[in-house]
Every structure is written in structure tokens, then in C-alpha cells.
Amino acid sequence: ILFVFDGGELTAEQLAAIRVDGVEIDRYAYHHLTELDSLLIPRLARRVHAAIEAEAKSETMYLEHGKPCY
């Protein structure tokens, strides 16, 4: 089971407070959604695209292998 949650938008103060531990996480970055397919493995890219679509529609989506199952 994989869940994707919308954490909302971070304020400038919250962004400035981000710290990575250098062990489990060594960096973070923000990328435009048009870059997802080149950054992620296909099944994860499908899930993230579906999450973006669900958020835009204010809906919950159920997926199987990253594809909507209706």
C-alpha cells in the first residue's frame, strides 16, 4: 500500500527551517511537474501525476499500479 498526501504549500519560514540529516536524506529539491517523468521511475511518476490530478479536482483517487481503477 502506498499513500500520497498533500502537505500544502510551505511558507518562507518553513522552507528556511528545513534541515536534512545527511544520512537518510542528503538533499531536497523542488521540480516542475514537467520534469517528473525524467526524475522518477515510471510507476512512481504515474502515482505522482495521479496525485496532482486528484488534488486539482479535490478528489481521492484509488490506483492500481499507478493507474486509476474506477
Side-chain angles (χ1 to χ4, degrees):
I1 296 176
L2 175 78
F3 296 98
V4 178
F5 296 96
D6 177 4
E9 292 187 28
L10 300 178
T11 65
E13 183 177 283
Q14 291 169 321
L15 289 170
I18 294 174
R19 300 289 180 267
V20 295
D21 65 7
V23 177
E24 183 177 354
I25 299 172
D26 63 359
R27 66 180 173 261
Y28 71 96
Y30 294 92
H31 297 279
H32 193 273
L33 61 93
T34 58
E35 299 176 276
L36 294 177
D37 293 327
S38 65
L39 294 169
L40 304 172
I41 60 173
R43 67 176 183 235
L44 183 54
R46 286 192 304 267
R47 288 180 174 104
V48 174
H49 283 294
I52 292 167
E53 180 183 342
E55 194 277 332
K57 294 179 177 180
S58 296
E59 294 180 351
T60 298
M61 284 186 143
Y62 293 94
L63 309 174
E64 187 169 325
H65 304 292
K67 297 178 183 175
C69 47
Y70 300 102

